[in-house]
Amino acid sequence: MTAPIRVLVCDDQALIRTGFTTIIDAQPDLEVVGECGDGRAAVDLAARLHPDVVVMDVRMPVLDGIEATRLLAGAGVARPVKVLVVTTFNLDEYVYEALRAGASGFLLKDAPPAHLLEGIRTVAAGAALLAPEVTRQLVGRYAARIRPPEGRRDTALTPRELEVLRLIADGLSNHEIAAALVISQETVKTYVSRILTKLDLRDRVQAVVYAYRTGLVS
């Protein structure tokens, strides 16, 4: 049997931690290996327990989820850990900063339990996860505060790749992009791979942030 996905739950509200842990541990392919109530503890526990995914709140004592994410998954981290940010909508600007810090995706706390479970599996598999219903509001609102990177790299993209990038930034899945452009999902995957390679981006989350920061989407 395949080993279960090891999950570390970090949230300063004990009730939420217990709820997440109960939901996750009920799945045969998932296992909670630890839980904690602040970002510093998350960093320390991750170093000791080596989880596959950290489910991270944003606003916490001692060390907030943004800084904890940067220490776990940011640029220059030797052994980055996949981080799934789970937050309330009114913390959206913090989530944008968490994505820039290296998080692999985010969900809202009021999402159905099935979305949390699928999110953990998606992130563990190396894919990125964005909640489509808030992507435009979330990233678009705060990307304007960040100075665009020096030099636009998207000039290397073909017109079709730019079109796919804009749809990714709109929060569309590969299936939805395929339907919109009347192409196969395999073709979409090829375009996404080329976009990430050409722009030197890690995943779809970074692609969304990049699209907003460079003005491809507004």
Side-chain angles (χ1 to χ4, degrees), residues 96-97 100 141-149 209 212-214:
Y96 176 67
E97 294 299 330
R100 294 187 66 228
R141 185 181 305 168
Y142 295 97
R145 299 185 180 182
I146 310 301
R147 188 178 65 180
V209 174
Y212 278 101
R213 291 183 68 196
T214 56

Side-chain angles (χ1 to χ4, degrees), residues 81-181:
V81 180
K82 296 178 178 66
V83 177
L84 174 62
V85 173
V86 183
T87 186
T88 53
F89 183 70
N90 64 354
L91 296 182
D92 50 6
E93 68 175 300
Y94 297 101
V95 178
Y96 176 67
E97 294 299 330
L99 296 178
R100 294 187 66 228
S104 292
F106 69 86
L107 286 173
L108 299 181
K109 283 186 178 178
D110 60 359
H115 288 191
L116 171 65
L117 299 173
E118 187 58 31
I120 292 170
R121 296 183 181 112
T122 298
V123 170
L129 180 76
L130 294 172
E133 67 272 18
V134 296
T135 299
R136 283 190 75 87
Q137 303 95 312
L138 179 68
V139 184
R141 185 181 305 168
Y142 295 97
R145 299 185 180 182
I146 310 301
R147 188 178 65 180
E150 296 295 332
R152 288 276 295 272
R153 292 174 288 172
D154 54 68
T155 53
L157 300 182
T158 66
R160 179 63 99 176
E161 289 166 349
L162 283 169
E163 191 173 14
V164 170
L165 177 56
R166 291 188 179 98
L167 293 175
I168 292 172
D170 280 336
L172 272 66
S173 66
N174 284 355
H175 175 75
E176 292 167 330
I177 293 173
L181 300 181

Side-chain angles (χ1 to χ4, degrees), residues 10-13 37-41 57-65 68:
C10 184
D11 194 295
D12 65 336
Q13 298 183 52
D38 66 77
R40 171 53 59 189
D57 189 17
V58 175
R59 184 175 289 175
M60 294 182 294
V62 185
L63 187 71
D64 65 36

